[in-house]
Amino acid sequence: MTTPLVRPRADRMVAGVCAAVARRFDLSPKVVRALTIVGLLFFGWTLPAYIALWIVIPTE
């Protein structure tokens, strides 16, 4: 059974998007956060994608 994509209330730094993605794909939240920061520094699409996921993904 797959884990639903929901933003946790406990393991969040800003909005819980990275924690939600990490839980969904069984990754470490630190890895997802690091990839998000690298994407923010080198690519322009990371911030709009983060904001869109913040709006779309429901909270636990």
Side-chain angles (χ1 to χ4, degrees):
M1 185 171 198
T2 60
T3 306
L5 188 61
V6 292
R7 293 183 296 122
R9 292 185 187 269
D11 187 29
R12 55 169 61 177
M13 302 247 340
V14 177
V17 173
C18 292
V21 171
R23 283 185 181 182
R24 175 67 173 93
F25 294 106
D26 197 28
L27 298 170
S28 169
K30 291 180 183 181
V31 171
V32 177
R33 289 178 186 128
L35 290 173
T36 302
I37 291 170
V38 168
L40 181 63
L41 294 174
F42 294 107
F43 307 105
W45 54 266
T46 307
L47 185 60
Y50 188 92
I51 293 170
L53 289 174
W54 187 352
I55 294 167
V56 172
I57 299 174
T59 305
E60 266 184 333

